[in-house]
């Protein structure tokens, strides 16, 4: 499946099938024990990624790639950042806008569309929490390679770490496909990611400077910090 085909599938799923469940998961609403463990893991992951960005972001432009219901976007805006928050699901984007207004935040640029759209412009930082985990490794690297020339300092992302259980579940899912199945999470080993990342020409001045595994019940995800080392004397983004 190509990037565009999978992108369309993901957008359809989160906009129609899973929108209500996602709203509940990312709120304080009562959920099952399984979903509560996922919620706790996602909260820890978001805190981790945000801790890798400066607490003071006035004058900085940040892309929240795959913003979902906007929790990270709101925190970034409260730090003073100029935030562009984009998601494939118009339903979730509208809900994120409502949440931001309830929090007294009105200046986030919420959009529905492709996080790789070049018309979004350049950024100082990118946060992509659980938004590239549905793509195969080559597509992940291609997405980062597309973003990198427009990012000045740092990208903080997540990948699904490869385990025997995840690999088995994915294999079974391929044997017994269902039209209503959620977009699969693609597990990747840290070693494979590091190798593919290092081999990408567009990422030759970027480095992996930090990782952290977050586990909570049914949630297991690896946080990765990618740092741009190609800043010139003027501090201009690498193009």
């Amino acid at each position: 499946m190509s990037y565009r085909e999978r992108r369309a599938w993901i957008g359809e799923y989160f906009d129609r099938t899973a929108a209500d469940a996602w709203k509940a998961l990312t709120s304080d609403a009562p959920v099952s024990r399984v979903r509560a463990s996922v919620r706790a893991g996602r909260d820890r992951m978001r805190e981790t990624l945000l801790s890798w960005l400066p607490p003071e972001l006035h004058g900085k432009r940040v892309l929240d790639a795959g913003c979902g219901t906007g929790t990270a976007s709101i925190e970034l805006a409260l730090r003073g950042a100029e935030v562009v928050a984009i998601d494939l699901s118009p339903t979730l984007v509208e809900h994120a806008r409502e949440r931001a207004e309830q929090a007294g935040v009105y200046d986030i640029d919420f959009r529905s569309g492709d996080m790789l759209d070049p018309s979004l412009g350049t950024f100082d930082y990118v946060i992509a929490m659980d938004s590239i985990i549905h793509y195969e490794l080559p597509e992940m690297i291609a997405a980062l390679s597309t973003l990198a020339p427009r990012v000045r300092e740092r990208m903080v992302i997540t990948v699904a770490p490869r385990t025997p259980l995840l690999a088995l579940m994915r294999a079974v899912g391929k044997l017994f496909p269902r039209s209503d199945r959620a977009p699969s999470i693609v597990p990747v080993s840290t070693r494979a990611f590091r190798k593919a990342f290092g081999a990408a020409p567009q990422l030759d001045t970027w480095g992996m400077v930090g990782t952290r595994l977050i586990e909570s019940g049914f949630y297991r995800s690896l946080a990765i910090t990618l740092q741009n080392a190609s800043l010139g004397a003027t501090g201009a983004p690498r193009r």
Side-chain angles (χ1 to χ4, degrees):
M1 186 177 293
S2 70
Y3 172 81
R4 289 186 177 183
E5 291 171 328
R6 187 169 289 273
R7 182 187 64 190
W9 181 22
I10 294 168
E12 177 79 9
Y13 174 75
F14 282 104
D15 195 53
R16 298 189 179 183
T17 307
D20 289 339
W22 203 249
K23 292 176 186 178
L25 180 67
T26 57
S27 70
D28 295 327
V31 291
S32 68
R33 291 181 62 184
V34 170
R35 291 191 176 184
S37 71
V38 173
R39 175 190 284 169
R42 283 182 53 81
D43 287 346
R44 287 175 54 199
M45 176 57 76
R46 185 173 56 256
E47 291 170 1
T48 295
L49 296 180
L50 290 173
S51 74
W52 288 345
L53 299 181
E56 170 56 57
L57 288 168
H58 283 86
K60 301 295 185 179
R61 197 161 189 260
V62 183
L63 175 66
D64 187 356
C67 65
T69 56
T71 306
S73 300
I74 294 170
E75 170 63 26
L76 291 165
L78 290 174
R79 294 187 188 186
E82 176 189 344
V83 181
V84 176
I86 191 165
D87 198 277
L88 291 172
S89 167
T91 301
L92 292 183
V93 168
E94 183 57 33
H95 186 65
R97 183 179 288 109
E98 293 172 359
R99 284 192 175 180
E101 292 176 355
Q102 291 169 3
V105 177
Y106 299 94
D107 54 355
I108 297 174
D109 182 2
F110 283 110
R111 305 190 189 190
S112 174
D114 187 355
M115 63 184 177
L116 304 183
D117 186 347
S119 69
L120 297 176
T122 59
F123 298 90
D124 295 286
Y125 301 100
V126 169
I127 179 171
M129 176 174 158
D130 296 347
S131 54
I132 64 171
I133 61 175
H134 304 289
Y135 299 96
E136 299 288 344
L137 179 57
E139 294 170 333
M140 292 183 190
I141 299 301
L144 294 173
S145 296
T146 300
L147 284 171
R150 296 186 284 118
V151 182
R152 179 175 180 271
E153 297 186 38
R154 178 170 288 192
M155 295 187 285
V156 292
I157 68 169
T158 63
V159 300
R162 184 175 183 85
T163 65
L165 178 59
L166 274 178
L168 176 61
M169 290 172 63
R170 188 161 186 259
V172 171
K174 286 184 175 181
L175 288 174
F176 302 99
R178 294 204 316 262
S179 60
D180 62 345
R181 188 183 302 277
S184 63
I185 293 174
V186 180
V188 58
S189 72
T190 305
R191 181 179 180 181
F193 180 88
R194 190 182 297 275
K195 181 178 179 180
F197 178 83
Q202 299 91 336
L203 298 168
D204 60 350
T205 61
W206 285 75
M208 288 178 58
V209 297
T211 62
R212 184 175 301 168
L213 180 65
I214 302 295
E215 295 181 282
S216 174
F218 281 76
Y219 183 86
R220 192 171 192 266
S221 192
L222 181 70
I224 300 176
T225 305
L226 307 175
Q227 181 72 39
N228 185 0
S230 67
L231 292 179
T234 62
R238 179 168 61 89
R239 297 183 184 278

